[in-house]
């Protein structure tokens, strides 16, 4: 991922060898990931699975995982995992965790967007009925993590057997990496064909036929959900 450049002094004579990163090496260095993970994410991106590969690597390295773990109750833990994705292979549990992350990323964001829209409509209507009152509500502020929103998030995640701290932390890793990749001056050619929004947040592109359910892999990718990677 590096190559030598013959550096010369003012007289034109060779003075030393300077090692600079290749284009590929520069991209790797720009990502907030270790070298191994960065290589895997870029390889996944070239296959058209940038979002999936990045989320899966973040989940693989993160503790705790997106799905809650009930200590001492393996039967219940298995049932919860399989509610997100039924798997047979030993490492298939990571796909269940990926499905849970996708479920949270899509449903929680959708819920927040609906809440913000309803709040805006309500306050706009009140402002119109009271012409003397100025509308001071700011949409951006509604997305901030207030103590009230944090508690609402915890309860929502508890209802769906999701670890609230884990998914937020993983989302931050994903966001930071995507920002570094898209804002990098070493943008790879294939990135121009990548939709910045992951497919699990674009229902119009889903291949599955079930509108509801926890198994987001099936809902998004259809019956071949286990073969998407």
């Amino acid at each position: 991922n590096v190559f030598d450049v013959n550096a010369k002094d003012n007289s034109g004579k060779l003075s030393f060898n300077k090692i600079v990163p290749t284009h590929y090496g520069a991209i790797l260095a720009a990502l907030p990931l270790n070298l191994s993970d960065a290589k895997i994410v870029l390889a996944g991106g070239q296959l058209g699975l940038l979002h999936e590969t990045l989320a899966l690597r973040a989940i693989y390295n993160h503790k705790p995982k997106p799905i809650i773990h009930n200590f001492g109750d393996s039967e219940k833990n298995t049932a919860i995992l399989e509610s997100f994705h039924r798997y047979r292979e030993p490492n298939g549990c990571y796909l269940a965790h990926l499905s849970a992350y996708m479920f949270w990323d899509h449903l929680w964001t959708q819920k927040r967007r609906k809440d913000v829209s309803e709040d805006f409509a309500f306050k706009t209507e009140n402002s119109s009925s009271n012409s003397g009152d100025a509308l001071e509500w700011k949409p951006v502020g509604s997305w901030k993590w207030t103590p009230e929103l944090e508690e609402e998030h915890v309860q929502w995640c508890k209802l769906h057997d999701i670890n609230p701290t884990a998914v937020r932390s993983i989302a931050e890793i994903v966001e930071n990496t995507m920002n570094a990749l898209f804002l990098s001056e070493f943008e790879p050619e294939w990135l121009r064909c990548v939709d910045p929004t992951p497919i699990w947040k674009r229902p119009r592109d889903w291949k599955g036929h079930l509108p509801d359910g926890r198994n987001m892999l099936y809902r998004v990718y259809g019956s071949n959900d286990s073969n998407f990677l």
Side-chain angles (χ1 to χ4, degrees), residues 130-144:
N130 299 286
S131 56
D133 298 334
L135 182 61
E136 298 179 354
W137 181 80
K138 297 180 180 180
V140 176
S142 297
W143 290 93
K144 293 181 179 179

Side-chain angles (χ1 to χ4, degrees), residues 7 78 111 128-129 192 226-227:
T78 299
K111 179 184 184 305
S128 300
S129 61
R192 300 171 188 174
S226 60
N227 299 319

Side-chain angles (χ1 to χ4, degrees), residues 10-139:
N10 293 333
S11 65
K13 296 181 179 179
L14 183 65
S15 58
F16 61 91
N17 286 340
K18 180 181 179 182
I19 298 178
V20 297
T22 62
H23 181 78
Y24 177 67
I27 298 174
L28 292 175
L31 300 182
L33 303 170
N34 62 51
L35 182 60
S36 176
D37 285 341
K39 287 182 176 181
I40 292 173
V41 169
L42 290 183
Q46 291 177 301
L47 295 174
L49 294 167
L50 175 62
H51 298 284
E52 293 87 345
T53 308
L54 174 55
L56 197 54
R57 289 309 299 176
I59 290 168
Y60 183 82
N61 293 318
H62 195 277
K63 290 183 180 180
K65 304 301 182 190
I67 300 175
I68 61 171
H69 180 79
N70 298 280
F71 292 97
D73 197 337
S74 59
E75 186 175 337
K76 183 177 182 179
N77 290 329
T78 299
I80 294 175
L81 282 167
E82 293 191 343
S83 71
F84 285 102
H85 176 68
R86 296 185 68 86
Y87 61 93
R88 297 177 182 176
E89 64 281 4
N91 291 328
C93 63
Y94 290 106
L95 292 180
H97 286 294
L98 174 62
S99 177
Y101 173 77
M102 292 163 60
F103 180 87
W104 169 83
D105 197 27
H106 170 59
L107 271 296
W108 172 254
T109 301
Q110 187 180 64
K111 179 184 184 305
R112 288 301 304 144
R113 186 180 294 113
K114 180 180 178 182
D115 291 345
V116 169
S117 297
E118 290 177 350
D119 189 31
F120 178 73
F122 174 76
K123 294 188 177 181
T124 301
E125 182 179 351
N126 284 351
S127 176
S128 300
S129 61
N130 299 286
S131 56
D133 298 334
L135 182 61
E136 298 179 354
W137 181 80
K138 297 180 180 180

